[in-house]
Amino acid sequence: MVSELKEDLQNLLNDIISGISNSETPSELEDIRINSLGKNGSVTLYLKNLRNYDIKTKKEIGTYLNEIKKQIIKSITDKKNLFKKKYLKEKLKTEKIDISLTPYESDIGTLHPLSRTIEELCAIFADMGFSIVEGPDIESDYYNFTALNISEEHPARQEHDTFYLQPDIDGQRKVLRTHTSPVQIRTMEKIDLKNFDEIRYIIPGRTYRSDHDATHSPMFHQCEGLVLGKNINMGHLKGCLIDFCRTYFNESNLPVRFRPSYFPFTEPSAEVDIGCKKESDGSLVIGEGEEWLEILGSGMVHPKVLYGVGIDPTKYQGFAFGMGLERLTMLKYGIPDLRPFYDCDLRWLKHYGFLPVDNPSLHSGLNGVFS
Ligand code: PHE
């Protein structure tokens, strides 16, 4: 009886083992596992029937069955590993990773031309000893206008230019700053006059005016500059801005002109123009020709503004300047229309965007690599 049973089991084992070695797919192998060791599998049924035998047979056949189970599990595991190896080999044969592709051709994002301009400005002015500061986009009337000597009747205060917010409980109407100049006031207020020698700041940021056409957007960017010290004069202003224009446009002989102008918060004030030529197709060549193009406003900080922040204008003088970053960007990279700057059109961004890894610096060059 026992030996007969053992013989049956041996035959069953042989069948299962040869089934395993002949199996060609993981799912065939899984079927064999279920049919032998599953809930109603052939080996499981023998185990279930053990209770019908006497103790001695139970023990002997039980041990035998466990041995068989172990062998089946081992050969299933071996076969599974074989399938895995085969699968990997085939995958390696059919799939290739082309490591010769350059990063330029891969799908990496690009830096918006405006971000590039801000980085270039920071690099140029940092080289001249300037630090970078920022201020809030939502300003009080005081910082945006009053502290800058802009009178109640000044046209910039009118609704058509300025975005006003709902009045506060105390009746104050906050504004979206119309220029970065309020940050001049905020930085000057923080000066500790006891330990004060000189400050040089640039202030890049968003600005807002209700204006919209091919060269104006209701949200745009400016960069403010402020230098304040004991013997700062108009010569410093001119030297600094001529240097800036020539470095930014990469033209060591770029003609730069200072044209008398008016801003309530500077005296004297000057607008800065650069030399250029207008081609018949409407494009511009910077640095050549007889024409002039206005690129920024500047002037010596008005004594009234200094008084207002508690600085004695007979002891300290300074100069300030402000420029539109969209305009600077359009001129440098020949971008004809301002509106696509904020359209998030991937084709435009890809065309005018810069490689994000190519940081501007004065020694490696400011002419960034387009994507
Ligand atoms: N804030 C002025 C503008 O927006 C520019 C400016 C800044 C002029 C600083 C002089 C000094 O037009």
Side-chain angles (χ1 to χ4, degrees), residues 173-218:
R173 282 206 299 179
K174 288 257 167 56
V175 302
L176 291 182
R177 66 177 179 190
T178 56
H179 50 180
T180 40
S181 303
V183 195
Q184 281 189 38
I185 308 295
R186 289 180 176 276
T187 43
M188 287 194 284
E189 277 179 349
K190 287 198 192 108
I191 292 173
D192 172 11
L193 284 168
K194 277 187 223 101
N195 301 306
F196 177 58
D197 187 25
E198 190 180 301
I199 52 157
R200 298 176 198 183
Y201 285 128
I202 57 161
I203 307 143
R206 275 183 292 272
T207 43
Y208 308 82
R209 288 180 203 175
S210 82
D211 229 346
H212 205 190
D213 60 35
T215 51
H216 295 90
S217 143

Side-chain angles (χ1 to χ4, degrees), residues 304-317:
K304 273 193 180 171
V305 173
L306 294 175
Y307 263 129
V309 290
I311 294 174
D312 181 351
T314 61
K315 285 196 184 135
Y316 297 99
Q317 294 84 37

Side-chain angles (χ1 to χ4, degrees), residues 150-163:
I150 300 175
S151 62
E152 290 284 345
E153 314 80 51
H154 197 281
R157 287 210 190 197
Q158 305 308 309
E159 297 274 357
H160 69 266
D161 239 343
T162 310
F163 287 112

Side-chain angles (χ1 to χ4, degrees), residues 242-357:
I242 292 173
D243 245 21
F244 161 71
C245 293
R246 293 188 171 159
T247 316
Y248 177 74
F249 288 106
N250 230 345
E251 281 277 342
S252 51
N253 293 316
L254 179 71
V256 180
R257 178 174 81 170
F258 290 79
R259 184 167 35 83
S261 182
Y262 170 76
F263 297 104
F265 38 93
T266 49
E267 185 63 33
S269 306
E271 234 134 352
V272 180
D273 301 337
I274 55 169
C276 70
K277 185 167 95 186
K278 282 194 184 108
E279 297 284 26
S280 48
D281 64 357
S283 64
L284 281 173
V285 185
I286 306 246
E288 278 178 27
E290 309 280 280
E291 291 175 75
W292 294 100
L293 203 67
E294 178 206 318
I295 59 158
L296 59 91
S298 67
M300 300 304 293
V301 180
H302 199 294
K304 273 193 180 171
V305 173
L306 294 175
Y307 263 129
V309 290
I311 294 174
D312 181 351
T314 61
K315 285 196 184 135
Y316 297 99
Q317 294 84 37
F319 67 86
F321 54 88
M323 49 193 135
L325 301 186
E326 281 78 0
R327 187 170 165 76
L328 282 182
T329 309
M330 288 165 76
L331 287 173
K332 181 160 176 176
Y333 300 111
I335 306 176
D337 194 333
L338 170 74
R339 286 164 292 198
F341 271 64
Y342 312 110
D343 280 348
C344 297
D345 182 334
L346 284 179
R347 292 163 303 178
W348 188 91
L349 291 169
K350 194 105 200 136
H351 182 73
Y352 287 112
F354 288 85
L355 282 181
V357 286

